[in-house]
Amino acid sequence: MPPNTSSLLQNVTLEDIPAILPMLSLSEREKLLAELEHLESLKTVARAQKSFLAFVKEMWPSFISGRHHARMADAFERVANGSCKRLIINMPPRHSKSEFASYLLPAWYLGKYPDRKIIQCSHTAELAVGFGRKVRNLVDTDAYHKIFPNLQLQSDSKAAGRWNTSK
């Protein structure tokens, strides 16, 4: 007689799965698969909350990462946690500097530190407002809410150049 499969699933580790899989019914396999998918989703969210580059990969699925992106991401994480007070990035055009620094970093930073404020500035007000609009629009997406579910835009403050979050 096969062991009670319900009790098999209670304290299963990932290493145990191949051994017990043949003993499970179809519905138990489906339940296990759903739990594994949920676990993977939780891991993805935790990585994206902690790591700027992981956040970038979640928000920009077609993004192709290079070594310079990892170096920028590391520098931005040091800025965010306060261990780097001043940062200058000099790279050729089309290396994702603006997408990272003026669009994705403010969104990630707000999710991580919702009680803080960000000022965006540029050589023209139009450019700063444009990036502010992109950040605001990203913060208002389902993909962003999957990573930072507790941060919402304040309903009475959604202008492109000046908007607030629920925090």
Side-chain angles (χ1 to χ4, degrees):
M1 180 171 183
N4 182 350
T5 52
S6 296
S7 65
L8 280 174
L9 293 177
Q10 290 189 352
N11 294 313
V12 173
T13 67
L14 289 175
E15 294 80 25
D16 298 333
I17 292 173
I20 66 163
L21 204 53
M23 296 181 236
L24 300 177
S25 69
L26 182 59
S27 65
E28 289 169 327
R29 287 180 190 185
E30 289 171 350
K31 180 180 175 184
L32 180 60
L33 179 60
E35 288 294 323
L36 290 172
E37 287 172 350
H38 180 68
L39 177 62
E40 191 57 39
S41 175
L42 292 174
K43 285 180 177 179
T44 299
V45 167
R47 274 192 304 268
Q49 288 175 348
K50 183 179 179 197
S51 162
F52 176 66
L53 198 54
F55 173 77
V56 169
K57 291 175 182 177
E58 288 302 309
M59 296 300 105
W60 186 358
S62 62
F63 173 71
I64 300 171
S65 184
R67 284 184 301 175
H68 65 290
H69 295 115
R71 291 186 70 182
M72 270 196 298
D74 179 61
F76 290 146
E77 287 176 12
R78 287 184 284 120
V79 168
N81 71 29
S83 65
C84 176
K85 299 293 183 194
R86 297 169 192 240
L87 177 66
I88 296 175
I89 296 178
N90 291 315
M91 281 190 216
R94 311 297 302 159
H95 277 69
S96 307
K97 295 180 305 293
S98 295
E99 288 297 302
F100 271 34
S102 299
Y103 169 50
L104 294 164
L105 178 62
W108 178 73
Y109 186 85
L110 283 172
K112 235 175 133 50
Y113 306 105
D115 57 325
R116 297 185 185 172
K117 295 183 179 188
I118 295 176
I119 296 174
Q120 281 204 325
C121 56
S122 180
H123 63 85
T124 64
E126 181 182 346
L127 188 59
V129 169
F131 277 119
R133 178 179 290 114
K134 282 182 75 170
V135 174
R136 179 203 62 197
N137 292 345
L138 178 61
V139 168
D140 204 25
T141 64
D142 290 338
Y144 184 87
H145 292 144
K146 178 182 166 198
I147 305 301
F148 296 109
N150 297 324
L151 189 74
Q152 307 288 328
L153 291 177
Q154 208 171 51
S155 61
D156 64 345
S157 174
K158 291 187 179 180
R162 186 175 187 85
W163 49 271
N164 295 310
T165 67
S166 57
K167 303 294 181 178

